[in-house]
């Protein structure tokens, strides 16, 4: 059984998560609070297997709370669940000790996967934040969730359109005035986002699916 403590300043979200896991045989929400200070107290009292925390909260934010929790109880795993997808926010949570990071709009199924993964001592990232962050900070030994709704950046959509037009990475770099290595990186990220296996599949996806830009 994975015991979970949750900190979130929007009570409706807490209620929704609790309701979903109410009859789950593997995940048990043993306590919820609305700020980081109360989270620290709750975790010290009940010592759950996993903590789910927002970043921005009153009194004490999730970054500071995570830092305190990991210092006193390093065996407690922390999963950030937030609306912040900026690399700086992600890095601060990782530096504080979190090993999972998902967005609030990821969906309950992804949350379930993240809980199990992080509670097991592994790292989990929401696909819609991982690809903007992974090149510098995330290695290959992490789990990246799969979302039914894939979010491509504006630049990725531009590159995908050029791929559909039959252009090579070099030609795309010249058209968009960016480095060829940047185009190659975007190609790699799109392959992972779209759950494809190769560059050829990416080309086929762009052409056969008639991607709408």
């Amino acid at each position: 059984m994975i015991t979970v403590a949750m900190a979130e300043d929007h009570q409706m979200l807490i209620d929704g998560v609790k309701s979903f896991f109410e009859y789950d045989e593997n995940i048990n929400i043993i306590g919820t609070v609305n700020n980081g200070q109360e989270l620290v107290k709750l975790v010290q009292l009940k010592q759950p297997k996993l903590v789910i925390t927002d970043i921005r909260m009153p009194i004490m934010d999730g970054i500071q709370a995570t830092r305190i929790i990991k210092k006193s109880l390093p065996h407690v795993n922390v999963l950030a669940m937030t609306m912040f997808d900026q690399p700086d926010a992600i890095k601060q949570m990782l530096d504080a000790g979190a090993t999972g990071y998902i967005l609030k709009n990821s969906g309950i199924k992804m949350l379930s996967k993240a809980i199990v993964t992080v509670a097991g001592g592994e790292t989990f990232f929401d696909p819609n934040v991982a690809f903007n962050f992974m090149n510098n900070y995330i290695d290959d030994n992490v789990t990246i969730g799969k979302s039914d709704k894939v979010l491509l950046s504006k630049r990725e959509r531009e590159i995908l359109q050029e791929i559909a037009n039959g252009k090579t990475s070099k030609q795309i770099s010249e058209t968009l005035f960016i480095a060829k290595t940047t185009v190659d990186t975007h190609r790699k990220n799109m392959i992972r986002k779209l759950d494809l296996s190769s560059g050829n599949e990416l080309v086929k996806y762009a052409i056969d699916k008639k991607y709408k830009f």
Side-chain angles (χ1 to χ4, degrees):
M1 174 69 73
I2 301 172
T3 52
V4 178
M6 180 177 179
E8 165 62 51
D9 59 343
H10 290 90
Q11 189 61 42
M12 286 183 64
L13 181 55
I14 286 179
D15 292 343
V17 172
K18 287 176 63 178
S19 177
F20 182 83
F21 291 113
E22 184 176 1
Y23 300 107
D24 193 295
E25 296 181 355
N26 300 314
I27 298 171
N28 181 23
I29 310 295
I30 61 173
T32 62
V33 292
N34 301 116
N35 64 71
Q37 186 178 80
E38 293 301 317
L39 175 63
V40 172
K41 294 178 182 178
L42 176 64
V43 173
Q44 290 174 340
L45 176 65
K46 295 194 174 184
Q47 297 194 22
K49 179 74 173 177
L50 176 80
V51 167
I52 300 174
T53 180
D54 193 0
I55 291 182
R56 178 178 292 176
M57 294 184 292
I59 305 177
M60 181 187 293
D61 65 30
I63 296 170
Q64 185 178 355
T66 297
R67 190 176 295 114
I68 295 172
I69 290 168
K70 293 300 292 185
K71 184 176 181 179
S72 60
L73 299 166
H75 61 281
V76 175
N77 299 294
V78 179
L79 168 65
M81 185 171 70
T82 178
M83 289 304 298
F84 294 103
D85 59 358
Q86 298 90 341
D88 284 349
I90 302 170
K91 186 176 187 303
Q92 287 183 62
M93 280 301 295
L94 293 183
D95 288 345
T99 51
Y101 199 104
I102 65 172
L103 300 179
K104 289 182 180 179
N105 59 3
S106 298
I108 200 71
K109 289 184 178 180
M110 188 177 295
L111 175 60
S112 298
K113 175 65 174 177
I115 290 173
V116 173
T117 302
V118 175
E122 299 178 19
T123 303
F124 185 97
F125 275 84
D126 186 303
N128 293 314
V129 299
F131 301 100
N132 293 329
F133 188 73
M134 65 186 303
N135 291 330
N136 293 324
Y137 299 105
I138 303 177
D139 59 33
D140 294 331
N141 299 315
V142 303
T143 298
I144 298 175
K146 295 179 180 179
S147 174
D148 294 333
K149 183 179 180 180
V150 178
L151 301 178
L152 298 182
S153 68
K154 179 181 178 182
R155 179 63 80 189
E156 287 169 340
R157 293 195 301 270
E158 291 173 343
I159 291 172
L160 197 60
Q161 184 174 29
E162 297 300 332
I163 292 173
N165 292 335
K167 291 186 178 181
T168 65
S169 289
K170 186 175 186 300
Q171 291 171 327
I172 294 172
S173 70
E174 293 170 350
T175 299
L176 300 180
F177 303 102
I178 56 178
K180 178 180 176 296
T181 54
T182 301
V183 177
D184 290 336
T185 297
H186 282 301
R187 279 180 178 266
K188 178 181 177 182
N189 289 346
M190 285 190 287
I191 288 170
R192 298 185 71 165
K193 275 189 178 182
L194 297 167
D195 196 24
L196 303 175
S197 61
S198 67
N200 288 335
E201 284 198 7
L202 181 63
V203 173
K204 187 175 185 299
Y205 176 89
I207 297 173
D208 293 353
K209 299 297 182 180
K210 296 181 179 179
Y211 196 89
K212 297 180 180 180
F213 305 98

